[in-house]
Amino acid sequence: MSSARKTETIPEWKREEVAELVEFIDSYQSVGIVGVAGIPSRQLQAMRRELHGSAAVRMSRNTLTNRALEEVDDGVEALTEYVSGQVALVGTNDNPFGLFKQLEASKTPAPINAGEVAPNDIVIPEGDTGVDPGPFVGELQTVGAAARIQDGSIKVTEDSTVLEEGEVVDDDLANVLVELGIEPKEVGLDLRAVYSEGVLFEPDELEIDVDEYRADVQSAAAAARNLSVNAAYPTAATAGTLLAKASGEAKSVGLFAEIESPDVVPDLIGKADAQLRALASQIDDEEALPEELQGVEAAPATEPAADDDAEEEQADEDTEDAEETDDADDADDDDDGGDGGDGLGAMFG
């Protein structure tokens, strides 16, 4: 009942304004609150033009902004906690990280006025000020700069920190900074929070090093891939590697057990040929050898694992840890003796 009376007392223009704000909020995937204090009107308009096509800024009374956020509900009403002072709504279909990066990039240097708090240490750099000798050298020295007249000009002899972060700028320093053209603060849309797809982000969560974040994701993906291969857990990304690894292992076992499989026979023949040549090369009396073995040289012994195809090499690269386990398994196979060969013989026919 009281709610109905409250609605009836709202002027028509306010209801229309709230309706437009609700439509604005509903039309974007990501909606945030930005601080606009201290931004000159002309600069604000320039920022709006710069954001055109990627984001939009909508200003209104804070009470109406809060009413619209609460009316939309769906979690976006959490932004009401950030509506205070001079703020505006910002909407975009970009992700919140892209929005934050774009807003930070749009900030520009600006002069600081007396009475404002220094956002960081203010430093007057070493060098020629370009100001002719006169009272200005005393003004520089008054604010704490190491300055003197040299070669017909006023020069700052070393970098001089004239105010630390958090301290208040006085009239003397403000005038000196204006004379030197030093703009120690940044002006721009200051993102306070953004709501996107059910998640509320604050600036410290959006200020990430993209390159470092990409490297972390790539490292995690590589670790997950390695874990999948080592655990023999097939996924779309590792099924090919697992099959190649299994194929290589089956070949190794086939060679060791001398199984006459079509895939293994060429390697078995190569291995036997190398062994025959090695034996023949150790016999000094060539007349004791068959004619076809006379004068032969020993061929490098065929290492089954080394002569396997490129697929196994690829699997080896991805599964170094898995190979350690494989070596242990091979040792177990050695202990099995003829039983393992009989079983594999049945497997390969």
Side-chain angles (χ1 to χ4, degrees):
M1 188 68 177
S2 60
S3 176
R5 282 199 299 270
K6 186 176 180 180
T7 301
E8 291 172 358
T9 59
I10 297 176
E12 181 63 21
W13 73 267
K14 286 188 176 180
R15 282 188 286 179
E16 292 177 353
E17 175 68 2
V18 170
E20 291 180 6
L21 291 172
V22 168
E23 183 178 358
F24 178 89
I25 295 170
D26 282 336
S27 61
Y28 293 101
Q29 295 178 359
S30 301
V31 176
I33 301 295
V34 290
V36 297
I39 305 177
S41 176
R42 180 180 299 177
Q43 197 165 356
L44 180 59
Q45 295 303 320
M47 290 177 182
R48 280 180 152 173
R49 287 194 297 272
E50 188 175 340
L51 293 172
H52 181 70
S54 59
V57 177
R58 182 69 162 78
M59 300 184 68
S60 186
R61 292 188 178 184
N62 288 357
T63 53
L64 301 182
T65 298
N66 279 333
R67 187 181 293 273
L69 291 168
E70 291 170 349
E71 188 168 319
V72 173
D73 202 4
D74 198 27
V76 74
E77 70 275 10
L79 290 174
T80 57
E81 295 182 12
Y82 303 88
V83 180
S84 63
Q86 298 179 42
V87 297
L89 285 168
V90 61
T92 180
N93 289 323
D94 193 2
N95 65 69
F97 297 92
L99 175 64
F100 177 80
K101 187 176 181 180
Q102 187 175 13
L103 292 180
E104 288 298 302
S106 68
K107 291 182 177 178
T108 57
I112 193 167
N113 300 316
E116 290 188 280
V117 175
N120 42 51
D121 291 351
I122 297 178
V123 178
I124 296 179
E126 176 186 353
D128 192 340
T129 64
V131 179
D132 293 334
F136 188 60
V137 66
E139 296 176 20
L140 281 169
Q141 293 169 345
T142 298
V143 300
R148 66 181 181 183
I149 297 173
Q150 185 177 357
D151 298 331
S153 180
I154 298 176
K155 295 185 177 179
V156 176
T157 57
E158 62 182 22
D159 290 346
S160 303
T161 301
V162 294
L163 199 68
E164 295 185 350
E165 177 182 349
E167 295 181 330
V168 178
V169 177
D170 60 23
D171 290 331
D172 291 339
L173 180 57
N175 292 333
V176 166
L177 295 176
V178 169
E179 181 69 23
L180 294 175
I182 294 177
E183 298 178 330
K185 69 176 184 180
E186 284 189 331
V187 174
L189 298 173
D190 188 22
L191 186 64
R192 296 185 177 182
V194 59
Y195 186 84
S196 178
E197 299 181 352
V199 181
L200 182 69
F201 296 92
E202 292 189 332
D204 58 341
E205 298 168 311
L206 300 172
E207 190 175 13
I208 62 172
D209 185 322
V210 175
D211 293 335
E212 182 180 354
Y213 191 77
R214 181 184 294 110
D216 288 345
V217 172
Q218 290 173 338
S219 176
R225 177 186 174 84
N226 199 36
L227 176 61
S228 172
V229 172
N230 289 335
Y233 183 84
T235 66
T238 59
T241 300
L242 287 172
L243 289 173
K245 178 173 177 286
S247 175
E249 291 171 347
K251 255 189 172 179
S252 296
V253 174
L255 284 170
F256 177 80
E258 298 180 352
I259 298 170
E260 296 178 3
S261 166
D263 292 334
V264 179
V265 166
D267 293 321
L268 285 174
I269 294 174
K271 178 182 177 183
D273 181 68
Q275 291 173 338
L276 178 61
R277 288 172 177 270
L279 179 60
S281 67
Q282 294 178 14
I283 297 176
D284 296 333
D285 186 2
E286 291 197 352
E287 294 182 357
L289 295 171
E291 184 177 352
E292 59 271 25
L293 291 179
Q294 292 180 2
V296 300
E297 296 181 355
T302 302
E303 295 293 340
D307 289 346
D308 280 341
D309 55 25
E311 290 181 344
E312 186 181 0
E313 293 180 3
Q314 179 62 38
D316 289 343
E317 293 176 0
D318 294 333
T319 59
E320 292 180 359
D321 294 337
E323 282 193 342
E324 295 178 2
T325 304
D326 298 339
D327 292 340
D329 292 342
D330 290 343
D332 293 340
D333 292 342
D334 292 344
D335 295 337
D336 291 341
D339 293 339
D342 293 340
L344 289 166
M347 180 187 303
F348 289 102

